Amino acid sequence: MFVCRMKENGRKLCFVRASNMSVVKQALTIAKPLPEKGEEVYIVVKSGIVLHMAQTERRDAPELPDFSLLKRIARDQLIFLLEQLPGRKDLFIDADLMSPLDRIANVTILKQHEVDKLYKVELKPIVSISDQLCFLIRPRIQTVKWISDLVNSDKAAGRFRKYKIIFTPQKFYACETVLEEQGVYGYITTDEWNFYILPLDDDILSLELPEFFRDNFLEGDQRWVSTGGGALHLLQSVYGSFSKVYGIGRCAKMVYETWREQMEDGDLRTKQPEFAKVFLIDRDVDFITPLCSQVVYEGLVDDIFRIKCGSVEFGPDVTSSDKSIKVMLNSQDKVFNEIRNEHFSNVFGFLSQKAKNLQTAYDKRRGMDIQQMKAFVADELKGLKQEHRLLSLHIGACESMMKKKTKQDFQELLKTEHSLLEGFEIRECITCIEEHINRQVSMIESLRLLCLLSLTENGLLSKDYRSLKAQYLQSYGIDHLLTFANLRQLGVLVEQQPGETLTVMESKVGKLVNDKTVGKLTDAFSSLAKKSNFRALSKRLALVPKSGDEYDLRVPRDMAYIFSGAYIPLSCKLIEQVLERDGWTGLEEVTRMLNGHEFAVTAGGNSSEARTKTDAQRIILVMFLGGCTYSEISALRFLGKERGCRFIVLTTAITSSARLLEALLDNHA
Amino acid sequence: MTRAKPEDDEYWNRSKLKAFTFDDEDDEFSRLKESKRTVNSLVMDDDDEEDDFEKVSWSGEPVGSISWSVKETASSNRSGSEQGFPKIDTTSSLSKQGSGYSLSSLFRAKSKSGGFPSFSESFSETSIRTYAPELRKPKSDRKNFVSDLSPEETVRRMQKGRAYSLEKFRSLQDKLLLLDEAVALYDGNVIAAVLIYLKTSLNKEILFRELMSRDVALRHYVHYLKEMGEQKLLVELLKALGRTEDMALMQYKEHLGIKDEGRRRDFLKSCLSLPFSQDDATHVQDHYELLERQIIIEASDKKADGEIFKKFPRKASILNMPIITTLYYSCFYHYGESEGTYSSPANIRKTFRISEKQYILTALGARAKLKLWFDVDSLFNTKNWLGYTKKKSPIGFHKVVDILHKNNAPISVPQFLY
C-alpha cells in the first residue's frame, strides 16, 4: 500500500494505491491517521480505477435525524382513524396513495384493524358487499363526486351502509361542498389523516403530492400552500426548531408565512434542534435543471425505469429472467448506495471492480478446512449472496440503459442540450429538434428540447415558434394546442415579444381597463415578465464551465459533474451561494433576474448561541416546492461532502423532465 | 422486495390495540383530541415524559386507551414557545397580486399593530384546545359567538377547521373584505370556500366584475369551475373578462370528451367560429378537416380488400391519429393515387401544408417499410429544366441511411447516395 498526500488550491488530497478495495477499507479503519479530517481521499486500485472516497470516509459528516419516526406517527394516526369505524369494513384507496401507504403499513396491519377487502379507487361502480365502506383518498372533487353517486345509488336501492371518507393530507371545503350539494352530507363521516411526509430515504422526504406543481404554478391555486407549512411544522415539532430560514419564490414565501403562523399558534417545546437551516425554493425559479437529461446513475434509472416512491420495477430485460423484480432503491442497498451519485460513465468500471472483489471473496472458499468453511457460511456467505444479487441487478440495469440510450440517438440529443446551455450553434440545435419532431420520435423529448430552447434563449423568435409549433402539432396531434397554451402560461415555451418599451405602457394602462387589446397586451407582458434571463444568470453565477476544459468525471470538481460537466444546476448553485453568504447580500442582480421574492430570516429568541457548536448546525433542510430531481439531490449530496455538511431534501414530489411535462399536457380528456 | 424493518414488526406484534371511544360522539371534539394526541406524541422531551411516551407507544400500554389520552391532554398544557420567527415583509410583493386594490389591508394592519387584542385572540389557542369551551356551550350561544367575528377572524377559523359562519357577510363590501382576507392568508382552501359562498350569494355579473381586479381569487375561481366541470359558467366568465382566446381554447377542449367520431367532427366544425388567435384558428381548421378525412378513409378502408390490405392487414384505425401518421398511412396504403382523392399522399401533403422535408421523410419511411426500393429511389429524383434527373435530398443523407438500415435495405439501395 502506498499513500501520498498533497495540497492543491486549498484542498487536502490523499491518494492511496492498493491492490484491491477490501485491503484499502481495512487499512482505513485500522490506520487512524488516514484519512485526515477534511481530506479528500482518492484510492487508486491496481486496475487503474480511481474511487473518490471522500464521501464515505469523511468522519466529520453529521449524523442525520431518524426519520422513521414520521412513519410511525402516520401509521398510528391511520390506525386510530380506522378504529373510528369499528367493525369489519372494506377500504377503498386512491391509486396514488397505494405506494405511500405500502411504505408505512402493510396488509396485515390493515387486517388487524378489521379491514376486510382492499380496493383501488377507479371511479367505477363497486362490487363490495360490506356494510361499511371506508375511503382513503386525496381531497379531489372527482373522487368525492364518485363517492356521492355511490351513496345515492345505494340509497335508491334501499341499501343501508356506513360510509367514511379519510382525506389525506387534509380535507378541502370544495370537497365537502360536493357532499352537501349531492345530498349525502351527514350520511358520510369525514376525517383527516395528516400524513404530510413520507421519508423515502435517509435524506429524502416527500409530500408525495405531484399535483402540487400543476395546481400551484399553472392553475395558480394555493390549496397546497398550507400543506407545505404543515409539513415544516411537523418536522419542527418532532425534530426541533431551525435557526435560520432562506427562500426564493412566491410560493416559498407563502409557505413560510403559513408555517410561521402555525408556529405561533401551536405549542412548541424546547428541544435540541436537529436542523440548522432551511432553504425554500420554488420550482419555477429554475425550470432548466429538471428539463436536462439525467446522467447520474439514480437520475438515469428514474428517467428510464421511473422510480416510484423509492422503488423501481426492473423488467425481464434487466433481470434476464422472465419476471420483473421490484427493488427498493435507497441507502440500505449497499451496491446502489455507492453508485447512485456517480456519473453513468463511472458506474460500469465500479461495478466490474465490485464483481471482481466478489469473485475473490467467493474464491476464499478454496482450500478451507471444515471449520473455516462453517464460519464462512455462517458469517460471510449471506452477505456475499445478497451483494451478488444486487450487483447482478444493477449490472443488468446498466446494460439495459445503455441499449436504450444508444437506440434513441441519445448522444445527439445530449449534444444539442449542451449547445443550448452554452448558447452555441442555436440554428443547428433548432434543425436537430425539428428533425426529431418530423420523425415523430418521443413526444415528450421533443417538448423537453423545445422548452429548453425557449428557456435558454428567452423565448423563441416568432417565425421559429410558429413553424416549430405547427410541425409539433402535425407530428403529435393538434390537441396539443392546449399543451402549448399551458406551456406559454407557465412561461416555459414562449414567443419573443418585440419591443420592451411597451411594458411601461402596460403598467400605465393597468389592469383596471378592460379592453380586448389591453388584454392581449397584458398577455404578452405576463410572458415577458416571466422571461428566464438564463444567459445572464449563467454568466453571473458561472453555471456553464468554459468549453474546451477537460472535465474528469471520475474526480468531480463541482456540481456540474451531474450534467457531465456541462452545467451547474441553477437551483443548487443558488443554495450554495446563499449558504456561503448567509443570505442574499451580493446576489441582488441574480434575484432581480429571478423575479425576486427572496428572503432570509433569523429566529428570534436567545437560544441561538447555545447550539452553535452542535452537529445540527451542519444539517440543512432544502424544501423544493413543485418537485426536485434525483440529479439535484446528487448535486446537493456532493455539495454537502465538499462543505462538510448534510442536506436533507424535502420535496412535494420527486420529479423529472417527463413528469414535469406530462403534468402540463392537456391532450386527453 | 419490501423489507419490513424488524423493530416495526416487533412493535406490531406486541401492541394490543383497542378501539378508542368517547362518550361524546361529537366529531369535532374527537378530532380535536386526536390532533392533540398526534402532536403530543411527536415530542420527546428530556424530562420524565419520555418514559410515558416509551411506555405508551412501544411497550404494551394500549395506544388510545382512555387513561392514556387523558394523561396526554393534561400534560400538554404547559407549552414553551420560546422563540419565534419574524414575519417577512411580503406586503410589497405578495399581496399586490391579490388584494392590492382592497380596503381590507387597512383593516388588517390596524388589528395587528393596534395593541388591543380581538375577541378571538383572547381565546388563546391552548385554552380552546384543552377545554374546547365552545363545545360545552349550548348551540345557540356558539352561533352568536361565531357570527360576531370579523372577516379576518372568520377566515382564520376556517383555516383551522373550526366552526364559523358566513351568514352575516351580506353587504357586497363585507363579502369582498372576506375574500381579500382569505387571499391574505395564502390558503387556497379558504379562498375556494369563500368563493363558493360568493358564488351562491352574488349575481354572477357582479362576482365576475369584482374578480377582475383580484387575480389570485380569479385563478382559484377558474380552477374551481374547471374541477367542478362547470364549463358554461367558465366560458361566461372568460368572456366577461375579455379573455376570448382562453375561452376559445376552453371550448375546443371539450372535444376530448366526445367519443363518437361523427359527433366529434361536428363539434370541431362548430369550433371554427370561435375567436382563436390567427395561428390557432388555422390549426383548429386543420383538425376539423383531418378528422373529416379520416372518417371517410376509415369507412372505405375498413372493408377494403386490395392486395396491400391483405398483405399488410391494418393494425389499428386511422381515426384521431396525427397528420403525419395519416400521411404515413396514406403513403403506405394509398401511394400513387391521383391527387384528386382524399386519401392520396399528394392531397394530404397539399391540404395540410406539409414541408418537402417532412414529406420525404415520411414517404421514405413508409416505402422502405414495404421494401419498395424503387419508390425510395425515385423520391430523391428531381428533374432539372433540361429534363435530366438528379439526386437531391432535403434531409441529411445519414438520416436516410439510418432509415434504410432500420428497414434492412439491401446494400445496393443506399449506393446511389454516394
Side-chain angles (χ1 to χ4, degrees):
Chain A
M1 210 164 64
F2 165 78
V3 181
C4 163
R5 290 199 153 92
M6 59 167 81
K7 271 192 179 177
E8 192 196 79
N9 297 334
R11 291 158 76 192
K12 283 193 277 181
L13 304 176
C14 170
F15 291 93
V16 183
R17 201 189 146 85
S19 53
N20 69 49
M21 281 298 296
S22 53
V23 175
V24 176
K25 284 215 165 143
Q26 228 174 355
L28 289 176
T29 44
I30 297 166
K32 285 284 177 206
L34 184 94
E36 276 181 16
K37 214 174 176 185
E39 205 170 52
E40 289 172 48
V41 185
Y42 295 96
I43 297 179
V44 189
V45 188
K46 219 180 196 171
S47 53
I49 290 166
V50 178
L51 295 161
H52 188 204
M53 298 287 292
Q55 32 292 56
T56 45
E57 304 302 329
R58 191 164 189 151
R59 287 175 299 179
D60 59 352
E63 282 286 311
L64 291 176
D66 175 19
F67 291 120
S68 62
L69 191 58
L70 294 171
K71 291 191 189 179
R72 290 185 214 156
I73 292 167
R75 186 171 46 199
D76 284 358
Q77 205 198 357
L78 177 65
I79 288 167
F80 176 82
L81 291 171
L82 288 175
E83 287 178 351
Q84 298 302 294
L85 190 66
R88 293 164 75 81
K89 58 216 159 235
D90 282 358
L91 183 64
F92 290 78
I93 307 171
D94 242 341
D96 43 3
L97 278 174
M98 312 242 308
S99 296
L101 188 61
D102 251 347
R103 300 289 172 271
I104 60 155
N106 54 41
V107 179
T108 327
I109 291 174
L110 296 178
K111 297 265 165 180
Q112 276 169 5
H113 298 279
E114 300 184 276
V115 170
D116 213 5
K117 290 203 181 74
L118 286 165
Y119 296 96
K120 189 160 92 178
V121 169
E122 285 176 308
L123 309 182
K124 283 189 231 154
I126 60 160
V127 288
S128 166
I129 49 157
S130 177
D131 283 341
Q132 300 202 86
L133 304 182
C134 187
F135 302 89
L136 184 59
I137 58 167
R138 290 274 184 231
R140 293 189 190 117
I141 285 176
Q142 228 196 350
T143 323
V144 177
K145 274 190 174 164
W146 168 73
I147 296 171
S148 307
D149 290 348
L150 215 111
V151 176
N152 278 327
S153 69
D154 275 357
K155 269 206 278 183
R159 171 157 210 168
F160 180 78
R161 301 200 231 218
K162 270 192 175 177
Y163 311 90
K164 183 184 188 67
I165 303 180
I166 301 174
F167 291 106
T168 185
Q170 67 200 88
K171 52 180 154 188
F172 286 145
Y173 286 102
C175 294
E176 291 183 303
T177 309
V178 171
L179 295 177
E180 193 179 337
E181 283 175 358
Q182 301 296 318
V184 296
Y185 197 95
Y187 287 91
I188 302 176
T189 53
T190 59
D191 242 316
E192 280 182 338
W193 179 31
N194 302 124
F195 178 31
Y196 284 124
I197 299 175
L198 175 71
L200 292 178
D201 205 344
D202 298 345
D203 58 353
I204 311 175
L205 308 173
S206 170
L207 305 190
E208 291 297 310
L209 282 175
E211 63 253 63
F212 187 105
F213 173 67
R214 183 173 167 131
D215 285 345
N216 192 77
F217 295 103
L218 183 68
E219 309 285 359
D221 189 320
Q222 300 164 4
R223 60 176 61 172
W224 302 114
V225 165
S226 66
T227 317
L232 286 168
H233 186 63
L234 171 66
L235 281 179
Q236 191 182 20
S237 340
V238 183
Y239 301 102
S241 48
F242 312 95
S243 57
K244 192 122 196 190
V245 183
Y246 315 94
I248 182 161
R250 238 176 80 75
C251 186
K253 255 186 177 175
M254 296 192 285
V255 166
Y256 169 76
E257 274 302 308
T258 52
W259 171 37
R260 190 186 56 77
E261 280 180 9
Q262 292 184 42
M263 224 181 321
E264 283 173 3
D265 288 349
D267 34 20
L268 258 191
R269 308 296 187 81
T270 42
K271 186 169 187 299
Q272 193 65 13
E274 295 195 55
F275 310 110
K277 294 165 181 171
V278 186
F279 195 104
L280 305 169
I281 182 168
D282 279 16
R283 186 69 276 174
D284 69 353
V285 168
D286 175 15
F287 276 133
I288 295 195
T289 305
L291 288 175
C292 291
S293 316
Q294 306 198 65
V295 285
V296 161
Y297 188 69
E298 190 168 12
L300 195 55
V301 169
D302 190 32
D303 267 0
I304 292 181
F305 301 102
R306 295 236 179 176
I307 302 174
K308 200 173 148 198
C309 231
S311 140
V312 73
E313 186 165 350
F314 286 134
D317 55 329
V318 172
T319 57
S320 43
S321 65
D322 48 0
K323 51 177 194 254
S324 296
I325 299 180
K326 272 195 180 168
V327 194
M328 291 296 290
L329 293 180
N330 54 36
S331 53
Q332 306 288 308
D333 176 341
K334 293 285 180 302
V335 176
F336 177 69
N337 199 35
E338 284 184 81
I339 54 175
R340 66 196 307 186
N341 301 311
E342 290 294 324
H343 189 273
F344 188 60
S345 60
N346 289 346
V347 172
F348 257 149
F350 179 87
L351 289 178
S352 69
Q353 182 59 42
K354 208 71 183 160
K356 274 182 205 152
N357 295 348
L358 193 67
Q359 188 62 54
T360 323
Y362 271 134
D363 285 350
K364 275 204 306 193
R365 279 178 300 182
R366 272 184 227 147
M368 278 182 183
D369 60 31
I370 291 289
Q371 276 309 316
Q372 286 169 320
M373 189 64 108
K374 249 185 172 171
F376 176 79
V377 171
D379 306 332
E380 283 180 65
L381 196 60
K382 199 172 162 225
L384 287 177
K385 279 199 165 149
Q386 165 83 348
E387 195 175 323
H388 188 165
R389 206 178 59 82
L390 292 171
L391 204 54
S392 62
L393 263 181
H394 288 295
I395 289 173
C398 270
E399 279 171 349
S400 161
M401 288 195 282
M402 285 293 267
K403 264 186 225 152
K404 282 186 182 126
K405 284 302 182 191
T406 43
K407 209 194 277 174
Q408 280 179 17
D409 19 33
F410 181 61
Q411 290 305 324
E412 199 178 312
L413 291 184
L414 213 54
K415 204 186 126 217
T416 307
E417 191 177 311
H418 289 175
S419 300
L420 289 175
L421 290 166
E422 232 179 301
F424 182 64
E425 295 183 329
I426 298 301
R427 269 299 128 196
E428 278 81 348
C429 291
I430 293 177
T431 313
C432 173
I433 298 172
E434 210 165 40
E435 217 161 87
H436 203 260
I437 294 171
N438 289 161
R439 288 165 56 212
Q440 290 184 296
V441 201
S442 155
M443 178 254 283
I444 288 286
E445 278 287 288
S446 297
L447 207 53
R448 182 176 75 81
L449 289 167
L450 283 177
C451 293
L452 271 181
L453 173 68
S454 170
L455 286 164
T456 51
E457 287 289 294
N458 254 347
L460 276 62
L461 295 175
S462 254
K463 165 175 78 72
D464 292 332
Y465 181 82
R466 283 187 195 154
S467 134
L468 287 166
K469 178 175 170 183
Q471 294 182 65
Y472 193 93
L473 299 181
Q474 288 186 342
S475 275
Y476 304 110
I478 298 168
D479 308 334
H480 282 291
L481 265 184
L482 299 159
T483 306
F484 274 78
N486 287 345
L487 294 170
R488 182 171 143 167
Q489 160 90 17
L490 197 64
V492 289
L493 180 52
V494 297
E495 199 174 337
Q496 277 176 14
Q497 301 295 330
E500 297 231 30
T501 46
L502 286 166
T503 334
V504 186
M505 198 175 90
E506 191 259 352
S507 63
K508 270 185 192 157
V509 176
K511 288 171 190 159
L512 300 168
V513 186
N514 174 42
D515 179 65
K516 212 174 150 187
T517 44
V518 177
K520 271 192 180 155
L521 275 179
T522 322
D523 267 357
F525 292 122
S526 57
S527 57
L528 244 191
K530 281 179 196 152
K531 69 181 194 176
S532 69
N533 295 311
F534 179 73
R535 296 273 172 258
L537 276 169
S538 159
K539 215 173 190 176
R540 183 73 182 67
L541 293 169
L543 298 180
V544 177
K546 283 190 191 76
S547 61
D549 277 15
E550 279 295 311
Y551 199 103
D552 187 352
L553 291 168
R554 288 179 299 185
V555 192
R557 58 166 185 253
D558 53 28
M559 291 186 281
Y561 94 92
I562 66 157
F563 292 124
S564 311
Y567 162 64
I568 299 177
L570 171 60
S571 51
C572 303
K573 186 74 182 182
L574 279 175
I575 294 165
E576 177 208 86
Q577 288 293 308
V578 168
L579 291 174
E580 205 163 80
R581 291 155 198 265
D582 192 22
W584 294 93
T585 347
L587 295 170
E588 290 81 4
E589 199 191 333
V590 172
T591 56
R592 194 179 45 77
M593 287 190 279
L594 291 170
N595 297 321
H597 294 307
E598 78 281 4
F599 61 91
V601 288
T602 314
N606 43 16
S607 56
S608 47
E609 73 273 13
R611 51 174 131 87
T612 40
K613 287 257 163 65
T614 61
D615 256 8
Q617 278 305 98
R618 291 185 289 120
I619 297 182
I620 297 139
L621 182 80
V622 179
M623 184 177 199
F624 284 89
L625 297 157
C628 86
T629 63
Y630 279 114
S631 291
E632 287 173 305
I633 297 175
S634 289
L636 288 176
R637 286 188 185 129
F638 176 85
L639 185 64
K641 280 163 215 153
E642 292 278 289
R643 304 292 156 100
C645 57
R646 293 289 293 267
F647 286 93
I648 294 163
V649 169
L650 171 60
T651 179
T652 52
I654 295 288
T655 194
S656 64
S657 55
R659 289 193 195 97
L660 195 140
L661 291 170
E662 278 161 10
L664 301 169
L665 295 184
D666 245 342
N667 64 327
H668 41 75
Chain B
M1 187 179 81
T2 4
R3 276 176 274 153
K5 283 190 181 164
E7 74 259 29
D8 290 356
D9 286 341
E10 211 176 300
Y11 163 64
W12 289 112
N13 294 334
R14 267 190 302 156
S15 68
K16 305 179 256 348
L17 289 140
K18 280 183 201 160
F20 178 30
T21 47
F22 287 108
D23 320 327
D24 189 349
E25 279 284 321
D26 192 317
D27 212 47
E28 195 172 0
F29 185 56
S30 64
R31 244 203 41 209
L32 222 58
K33 278 216 161 188
E34 150 238 314
S35 57
K36 171 103 278 170
R37 191 183 72 88
T38 321
V39 171
N40 286 325
S41 65
L42 308 183
V43 187
M44 289 198 288
D45 264 22
D46 38 1
D47 58 14
D48 57 341
E49 206 189 34
E50 193 167 45
D51 292 337
D52 293 350
F53 180 84
E54 289 294 334
K55 192 164 61 192
V56 167
S57 285
W58 314 120
S59 40
E61 187 175 331
V63 176
S65 70
I66 303 278
S67 68
W68 173 78
S69 98
V70 168
K71 192 166 57 186
E72 280 298 287
T73 322
S75 67
S76 66
N77 215 343
R78 37 164 199 96
S79 63
S81 165
E82 44 100 45
Q83 54 169 353
F85 273 93
K87 225 177 132 99
I88 32 173
D89 176 31
T90 52
T91 39
S92 58
S93 45
L94 275 183
S95 58
K96 184 175 67 190
Q97 279 270 358
S99 52
Y101 306 99
S102 75
L103 292 165
S104 62
S105 40
L106 296 171
F107 289 84
R108 209 182 324 135
K110 202 165 158 192
S111 79
K112 248 170 209 155
S113 54
F116 40 91
S118 66
F119 190 22
S120 76
E121 274 161 15
S122 62
F123 256 96
S124 84
E125 181 66 22
T126 359
S127 65
I128 289 181
R129 281 218 187 172
T130 318
Y131 309 112
E134 44 190 294
L135 295 172
R136 303 274 155 91
K137 280 186 190 173
K139 279 245 161 161
S140 56
D141 223 24
R142 203 194 327 170
K143 202 171 170 190
N144 277 337
F145 167 72
V146 291
S147 62
D148 280 347
L149 295 172
S150 74
E152 191 197 344
E153 288 155 349
T154 304
V155 293
R156 280 184 187 280
R157 292 185 71 84
M158 291 170 83
Q159 187 180 32
K160 285 165 196 150
R162 304 230 186 89
Y164 67 94
S165 157
L166 299 179
E167 280 163 26
K168 75 154 206 159
F169 299 97
R170 301 193 69 170
S171 73
L172 178 60
Q173 195 198 356
D174 281 351
K175 288 181 204 287
L176 295 176
L177 265 176
L178 192 67
L179 183 59
D180 291 335
E181 284 299 343
V183 169
L185 271 188
Y186 310 132
D187 189 328
N189 181 28
V190 179
I191 299 173
V194 172
L195 284 168
I196 291 168
Y197 170 65
L198 297 193
K199 181 170 177 265
T200 54
S201 66
L202 272 181
N203 179 306
K204 64 187 173 207
E205 274 82 30
I206 296 178
L207 179 58
F208 293 173
R209 188 191 70 205
E210 294 301 334
L211 286 176
M212 220 172 275
S213 57
R214 291 172 171 79
D215 192 45
V216 172
L218 173 65
R219 295 183 76 180
H220 281 83
Y221 194 55
V222 169
H223 193 212
Y224 173 71
L225 293 181
K226 270 191 201 167
E227 287 194 306
M228 288 298 286
E230 297 202 39
Q231 182 78 4
K232 256 194 183 154
L233 191 57
L234 193 52
V235 167
E236 272 180 73
L237 171 64
L238 293 173
K239 203 171 178 180
L241 294 169
R243 284 167 55 177
T244 50
E245 282 178 30
D246 289 344
M247 181 193 78
L249 284 170
M250 184 73 64
Q251 279 175 284
Y252 166 75
K253 192 182 176 180
E254 273 181 76
H255 83 267
L256 293 168
I258 303 172
K259 290 280 165 294
D260 176 73
E261 64 269 11
R263 284 187 48 227
R264 195 182 245 220
R265 177 199 53 205
D266 297 343
F267 181 84
L268 286 171
K269 193 175 181 185
S270 75
C271 285
L272 297 178
S273 57
L274 294 173
F276 289 104
S277 69
Q278 205 185 339
D279 278 359
D280 287 358
T282 324
H283 295 310
V284 174
Q285 174 84 33
D286 281 355
H287 197 171
Y288 163 66
E289 283 181 27
L290 178 69
L291 185 57
E292 190 183 34
R293 182 177 300 244
Q294 284 171 340
I295 290 173
I296 295 168
I297 297 175
E298 180 68 21
S300 81
D301 285 5
K302 221 175 1 192
K303 43 185 194 287
D305 51 1
E307 196 189 329
I308 177 110
F309 290 99
K310 276 182 197 148
K311 211 166 154 197
F312 301 94
R314 301 183 330 144
K315 289 196 184 91
S317 117
I318 191 63
L319 292 172
N320 297 316
M321 290 296 158
I323 293 174
I324 300 307
T325 313
T326 312
L327 177 65
Y328 182 90
Y329 176 93
S330 125
C331 288
F332 198 91
Y333 289 110
H334 299 276
Y335 204 66
E337 282 179 15
S338 74
E339 208 183 310
T341 63
Y342 254 180
S343 50
S344 75
N347 192 306
I348 290 175
R349 178 182 174 183
K350 203 172 152 206
T351 312
F352 298 106
R353 305 167 308 282
I354 291 165
S355 70
E356 187 193 11
K357 186 172 154 186
Q358 172 75 77
Y359 175 77
I360 290 195
L361 210 52
T362 313
L364 175 67
R367 301 324 281 172
K369 184 90 186 168
L370 288 167
K371 308 206 185 303
L372 293 173
W373 310 117
F374 177 76
D375 288 347
V376 168
D377 189 273
S378 54
L379 267 176
F380 299 98
N381 285 346
T382 46
K383 281 198 171 68
N384 66 12
W385 57 277
L386 283 173
Y388 293 114
T389 56
K390 235 177 84 179
K391 294 286 178 205
K392 206 187 117 200
S393 170
I395 44 174
F397 275 117
H398 70 284
K399 281 275 142 55
V400 177
V401 174
D402 191 38
I403 292 169
L404 293 177
H405 171 73
K406 275 182 188 143
N407 290 291
N408 303 318
I411 302 292
S412 66
V413 176
Q415 269 175 359
F416 70 87
L417 300 170
Y418 301 102

